Amino acid sequence: MLACLTALGVAIGVGLAVLLLNNAYAAALLVLIACLGGLVTWPRDDTPRTPAIDPWWAIPTRMGLVTIMVCGIATLEPFLGTGLAGTFASLPMILVVMGLTEHRARGPLGAVDLAGGTLASIAGTAAFLLAVVVLTPLAGLWVALAAGLLVIPVVNRAATALAAALGQRIGRPVATPGRAERHTSELVAA
């Protein structure tokens, strides 16, 4: 519970700082720092996982619910404004659906793994958004989107490697949250 409250506090603090700074580079740097802090402090969990077998309708249902929620927020855009509607229509809405369905399908550890995987991918998401914001006026939308997609895996790998190095430096082994290779032996056995 303390970890959840701390994460919420950090997210709110970073969000307010980004609003006050109103600078894409500063926002990306703050997000990267918060992401690294989260990765370094993420609790290690080597509890064995049993792979869940989803029914055929699970993924289409998740995607349908996400679409309905995002479209619902988009219809509220005239009342919320583009900034707030865009904020809610992206990752938070997707995670609400995915977190609940992961919890139902795999239990609390499944939802924790999803949250950890999300944390591990936030740096790449921020780099994608930064590339789109910076490159769109210079090179056009399609070039910006392509460049943004190319930087996602590079930045995600770099952030997790940097977090591991920081954790090693302070004597705290860093978990790689949300990494499937941790359960590969279970998947092979299934």
Side-chain angles (χ1 to χ4, degrees):
M1 181 63 141
L2 180 60
C4 288
L5 292 174
T6 302
L8 182 61
V10 168
I12 290 170
V14 168
L16 290 173
V18 166
L19 286 173
L20 292 173
L21 292 172
N22 197 22
N23 180 302
Y25 297 106
L29 182 62
L30 283 174
V31 168
L32 179 62
I33 290 168
C35 178
L36 290 173
L39 289 171
V40 169
T41 59
W42 191 261
R44 284 194 65 86
D45 180 17
D46 294 326
T47 306
R49 309 290 201 269
T50 306
I53 299 172
D54 289 329
W56 66 269
W57 49 265
I59 292 176
T61 301
R62 289 176 187 161
M63 295 303 101
L65 288 171
V66 166
T67 302
I68 289 168
M69 292 178 79
V70 169
C71 289
I73 291 290
T75 60
L76 295 175
E77 183 270 328
F79 308 106
L80 299 174
T82 55
L84 191 57
T87 300
F88 284 121
S90 57
L91 197 55
M93 288 295 115
I94 294 169
L95 288 177
V96 164
V97 172
M98 295 301 292
L100 290 172
T101 56
E102 278 298 304
H103 188 276
R104 184 181 182 313
R106 293 172 181 79
L109 293 179
V112 168
D113 284 347
L114 176 73
T118 302
L119 175 62
S121 70
I122 286 175
T125 302
F128 169 82
L129 294 172
L130 182 63
V132 169
V133 166
V134 171
L135 293 177
T136 298
L138 301 173
L141 180 62
W142 293 109
V143 170
L145 289 173
L149 289 173
L150 290 174
V151 300
I152 290 173
V154 173
V155 171
N156 282 343
R157 294 250 181 199
T160 53
L162 182 56
L166 289 171
Q168 195 173 40
R169 189 162 178 91
I170 64 171
R172 178 172 166 59
V174 173
T176 51
R179 296 281 186 232
E181 62 265 15
R182 165 171 77 155
H183 310 297
T184 303
S185 60
E186 296 170 4
L187 295 173
V188 170

